[in-house]
Amino acid sequence: PQYYKLKFSATIHKNFKERSSITRKSLTIGLIILGVGFLIYLIDKNIAPTNQLNELTFWIFILAFIPIGFAYVFQFFDYENIEILHKGNLDIGEKSFTLNYKEEILFSDIEDLRIIIDAYYNERINIVYRTPTEQKSLGLKNQIKIKTNRDNKEFYFKLENKYHKNRLEEVLFEIITTKKLENLDAKKSIKLIPQRFKNSDNYKNYVIDQIVKKRIDCTEGLLLHGYRTDKEAKELREKYCG
């Protein structure tokens, strides 16, 4: 049975240019000023007469912490600074990927497929404690790589929001478990299935089917299938790996 109607659309782009965000620029300026102040402090401390520039270094350090403090606050409102090039469109339907409404890549022709989900628009990224690098994503750095017996395609695509990301995962799960990617290596197809589906019956049934058809090694297949106890693993092995 089909749980998700196979339909997904997104804008795509061949490449992008990433520049420093306002947060990173502000932090860099602050660190440069701080470095200059520290250098002046060392010179003043080691060249006679010493300690003549204490007031100057004090105000340089104060000046440095203004952009650094701004970076710590602004990081929660800042976005990536990305410029995309060669914009197009991607549709995923019942039988194929379609690029720019005209170039069709049939599922049955695909020999290798990689889908790298980075983030959706407005999702918080670069969350690092003590360092002002947290930002919001523009959702532009997600990537698809497709290989057929005739051609290779590689492009980036935009995820508009969390629902859009979930929609892609649902469509991808349906494509794989209904065996539309028949020429894709079994282990690669299983690893394409999003983590949130890996406790579902459909997922487990698909993995068992790949084991029975000997498209994947039994031991590795059972690890991907998942089991709670050694007893359950033994039962699965006896039932499906004989």
Side-chain angles (χ1 to χ4, degrees):
Q2 191 164 341
Y3 295 93
Y4 304 106
K5 183 175 175 58
L6 286 177
K7 179 65 177 177
F8 175 83
S9 296
T11 57
I12 61 174
H13 45 283
K14 289 292 290 182
N15 45 37
F16 61 86
K17 291 181 180 178
E18 187 167 9
R19 298 182 173 88
S20 291
S21 66
I22 294 174
T23 295
R24 187 165 294 279
K25 288 176 181 176
S26 181
L27 177 63
T28 301
I29 291 169
L31 291 176
I32 291 172
I33 297 172
L34 194 63
V36 170
F38 188 67
L39 181 62
I40 292 173
Y41 168 79
L42 290 177
I43 293 172
D44 185 41
K45 190 173 180 64
N46 291 284
I47 296 180
T50 61
N51 300 323
Q52 299 298 303
L53 301 174
N54 283 347
E55 185 174 350
L56 175 62
T57 54
F58 171 78
W59 286 109
I60 289 175
F61 288 144
I62 292 296
L63 181 64
F65 282 108
I66 292 174
I68 291 174
F70 174 80
Y72 270 95
V73 174
F74 193 72
Q75 64 174 325
F76 302 110
F77 307 94
D78 202 7
Y79 283 86
E80 298 173 297
N81 187 3
I82 292 176
E83 177 187 352
I84 62 173
L85 305 172
H86 309 299
K87 190 174 178 180
N89 190 78
L90 165 70
D91 287 300
I92 303 177
E94 296 287 340
K95 298 179 180 179
S96 64
F97 292 91
T98 303
L99 305 179
N100 301 320
Y101 307 107
K102 58 183 179 180
E103 184 179 356
E104 192 172 47
I105 305 171
L106 295 174
F107 296 145
S108 57
D109 290 338
I110 294 175
E111 296 179 346
D112 195 12
L113 175 64
R114 291 185 63 198
I115 298 180
I116 303 165
I117 296 178
D118 175 70
Y120 55 83
Y121 181 81
N122 217 31
E123 183 177 2
R124 293 197 177 278
I125 57 173
N126 299 336
I127 301 174
V128 181
Y129 295 110
R130 301 178 185 174
T131 305
T133 57
E134 182 173 341
Q135 295 174 317
K136 295 179 182 180
S137 174
L138 292 176
L140 297 170
K141 292 161 66 175
N142 310 287
Q143 191 175 22
I144 295 181
K145 297 180 180 180
I146 304 172
K147 179 182 178 182
T148 68
N149 56 5
R150 296 185 300 273
D151 198 7
N152 293 336
K153 295 289 182 183
E154 183 175 335
F155 50 86
Y156 296 90
F157 65 99
K158 182 178 181 181
L159 287 174
E160 301 289 348
N161 47 44
K162 189 172 183 179
Y163 170 80
H164 200 210
K165 175 189 173 184
N166 289 343
R167 185 67 189 150
L168 172 62
E169 292 180 343
E170 291 163 359
V171 168
L172 186 60
F173 179 57
E174 181 69 13
I175 289 169
I176 294 167
T177 55
T178 54
K179 304 168 191 173
K180 294 181 182 293
L181 295 168
E182 56 193 42
N183 292 319
L184 188 63
D185 177 78
K187 185 163 61 173
K188 289 183 178 180
S189 69
I190 290 170
K191 288 184 176 180
L192 276 172
I193 294 175
Q195 187 63 40
R196 66 188 178 101
F197 293 111
K198 291 192 174 179
N199 287 321
S200 69
D201 290 339
N202 272 18
Y203 169 77
K204 293 182 180 295
N205 290 339
Y206 177 75
V207 175
I208 290 297
D209 183 68
Q210 302 307 296
I211 294 172
V212 170
K213 291 179 178 177
K214 302 190 183 303
R215 297 192 69 216
I216 190 170
D217 175 75
C218 179
T219 300
E220 189 170 14
L222 291 180
L223 286 171
L224 290 168
H225 175 279
Y227 48 82
R228 288 166 294 183
T229 64
D230 290 341
K231 180 181 178 182
E232 183 183 357
K234 183 179 178 181
E235 290 173 353
L236 289 168
R237 183 178 292 276
E238 290 174 351
K239 186 173 182 180
Y240 298 111
C241 301

